[in-house]
Amino acid sequence: MAELIIIIVAVVVVVGGGGTTLLLRSRRSAPPSPPPPSTAPDRGVGQGGAATTASGPASATGTAERGEAGTAVPLEPDVAAPPARPAAPAEKPPPSAGRLIRLRSRLARSQSALGGALLGLLSSDRLDEQTWEEVEDTLITADMGVAPARQLVDELRTDVKVEGSRDPESVRSLLRRLLLEQVGAGMDRTLHTARHGDRPAVVLVVGVNGTGKTTTVGKLARVLIGDGQTVLLGAADTFRAAAADQLQTWGDRVGAQTIRSDREGADPASVAFDAVNAGIERGVDVVIVDTAGRLHTKAGLMDELGKIKRVISRHATVDEVLLVLDATTGQNGLRQARVFAEVVDVTGIVLTKLDGTAKGGIVIAVQRELGVPVKLVGLGEGPDDLAPFEPEAFVDAIVGA
């Protein structure tokens, strides 16, 4: 009987000890309680959702990280956060001054055919009616437009008769002077990006699909930063999945923060509004807002573009509305330009792919159509191939001066 009592006591002790061990282990391995779900309302105008700031690799030294659903998930209290990776140093782009001169060889290669054809016709021994028609056809083929081409030909005919000389240098000088008048050498091509007291300048970039809008925004940021200004980017193209990522990549390279939505398909006006507010709070010089490409024939999309501008105007002045046009589209680009100008009051044109076409007459045509100047031109795919438009350099590339 005594032996039986001893055995029972031993079993109780073993079981009790094991239970104690299990209890201790359970306490060590118990996961932290999950955080309560967020009840904060979405920010912004309309139903765009909250906008987030992206400016390079996020630091992991804090006490929270971003979960899949966008909620904050606390780190394990007994797990050390990994050290933050240093962000890559921002590039220092070259200043805008002299960019078009540096890119002049690319412009000359594309426009030499136009200049060569004109100079060849004007320097011929006989300038009869057929020759003048060929000059006019050459200009129209270069997308100058019928009315500007006829005006230029009439002026050429008059000046050739007055001067009475058709040697190559005289013809080149005459053609250069008249082309400068058509291009509008006296137009104000200033890019208005000066701060308004405690508020940044705002540049709204618009255009149809496929013209290179987002790339133009990134290159424009490089131009402004190269001139010593601070820039913030607003990713209001919320319909194209890769647009915000593409824009952020451009910004990260030069140290420009990007405001983007945490929700795909968010209200673009909300993102633009948040970007401007962030620009005011952070004291940047310029906020550039990228918008979704839209067909100029779709009234709903164009109305939305007008809404973006109205929302921005509640807190800041929209200093520039830049319309991005593909120089290779010719007269179709003019039709697009008319509709955009009616909706958002375009202040300047950006012509991309000007190095890829001999139809430089589009510069004259679009300016005459809208009454606003070409302010920037794209002359390649490199990051610094966007340049302020300089009429003299452009015309010299055509006539080979």
Side-chain angles (χ1 to χ4, degrees):
M1 184 69 176
E3 292 177 356
L4 180 59
I5 293 171
I6 292 170
I7 292 171
I8 292 171
V9 171
V11 170
V12 170
V13 170
V14 170
V15 172
T20 303
T21 303
L22 290 173
L23 179 60
L24 291 174
R25 285 178 182 171
S26 176
R27 284 176 180 171
R28 288 196 189 103
S29 60
S33 300
S38 172
T39 59
D42 288 345
R43 295 170 51 222
V45 178
Q47 303 299 320
T52 58
T53 302
S55 58
S59 171
T61 58
T63 59
E65 57 187 7
R66 184 65 59 185
E68 291 184 1
T71 57
V73 180
L75 295 171
E76 293 279 345
D78 57 343
V79 177
R85 292 186 301 172
E91 299 177 17
K92 179 61 177 176
S96 61
R99 277 196 180 204
L100 191 57
I101 300 300
R102 293 195 296 272
L103 299 170
R104 181 174 163 182
S105 60
R106 297 182 189 178
L107 188 60
R109 283 197 297 271
S110 63
Q111 303 306 316
S112 60
L114 171 60
L118 290 174
L119 290 171
L121 289 168
L122 294 172
S123 301
S124 61
D125 294 333
R126 292 183 58 189
L127 279 176
D128 54 17
E129 197 63 33
Q130 181 179 349
T131 304
W132 286 116
E133 288 180 1
E134 290 180 15
V135 171
E136 183 177 324
D137 290 344
T138 300
L139 293 171
I140 293 174
T141 303
D143 280 334
M144 182 178 289
V146 175
R150 286 179 178 171
Q151 180 183 343
L152 182 59
V153 168
D154 289 343
E155 292 175 352
L156 278 170
R157 294 180 75 160
T158 300
D159 290 353
V160 166
K161 288 180 181 179
V162 171
E163 293 191 9
S165 174
R166 292 201 300 275
D167 66 90
E169 286 307 313
S170 297
V171 170
R172 180 177 284 108
S173 176
L174 175 61
L175 184 60
R176 182 182 188 278
R177 177 174 60 81
L178 293 176
L179 281 174
L180 275 174
E181 292 176 3
Q182 290 286 335
V183 170
M187 297 184 79
D188 180 13
R189 302 178 193 276
T190 305
L191 202 60
H192 299 285
T193 57
R195 284 177 56 83
H196 305 277
D198 62 343
R199 295 179 184 269
V202 178
V203 177
L204 184 63
V205 181
V206 304
V208 301
N209 294 300
T211 57
K213 249 182 332 66
T214 300
T215 298
T216 296
V217 172
K219 292 181 178 181
L220 177 57
R222 293 181 65 89
V223 170
L224 297 177
I225 290 173
D227 287 342
Q229 294 185 285
T230 54
V231 176
L232 183 142
L233 305 177
D237 181 354
T238 59
F239 298 107
R240 188 164 61 90
D245 292 337
Q246 182 184 359
L247 191 65
Q248 183 183 334
T249 299
W250 278 102
D252 288 347
R253 291 176 65 175
V254 291
Q257 291 185 329
T258 302
I259 300 297
R260 56 186 296 179
S261 174
D262 59 0
R263 183 185 305 174
E264 186 175 346
D267 180 11
S270 172
V271 178
F273 181 85
D274 286 336
V276 172
N277 276 346
I280 294 171
E281 293 171 0
R282 299 171 195 185
V284 301
D285 296 321
V286 188
V287 175
I288 310 176
V289 179
D290 181 29
T291 63
R294 56 201 70 229
L295 296 174
H296 60 291
T297 56
K298 299 294 184 181
L301 291 175
M302 298 303 291
D303 290 343
E304 182 183 75
L305 193 58
K307 175 187 174 184
I308 293 173
K309 186 180 178 184
R310 290 193 303 272
V311 166
I312 293 174
S313 298
R314 295 176 187 173
H315 285 272
T317 302
V318 179
D319 297 86
E320 293 280 2
V321 179
L322 298 179
L323 173 60
V324 180
L325 293 176
D326 184 337
T328 65
T329 60
Q331 296 299 309
N332 186 47
L334 292 184
R335 289 190 289 272
Q336 299 167 7
R338 292 188 199 108
V339 180
F340 277 93
E342 292 170 0
V343 175
V344 287
D345 190 22
V346 173
T347 61
I349 305 296
V350 182
L351 276 178
T352 62
K353 306 178 187 177
L354 191 58
D355 63 317
T357 177
K359 299 185 176 183
I362 189 65
V363 172
I364 297 170
V366 72
Q367 289 184 157
R368 177 171 291 217
E369 179 67 31
L370 298 185
V372 298
V374 171
K375 292 193 173 184
L376 297 162
V377 289
L379 293 163
E381 298 181 358
D384 295 310
D385 290 344
L386 184 73
F389 180 71
E390 299 170 15
E392 292 82 1
F394 174 71
V395 171
D396 287 346
I398 293 177
V399 301

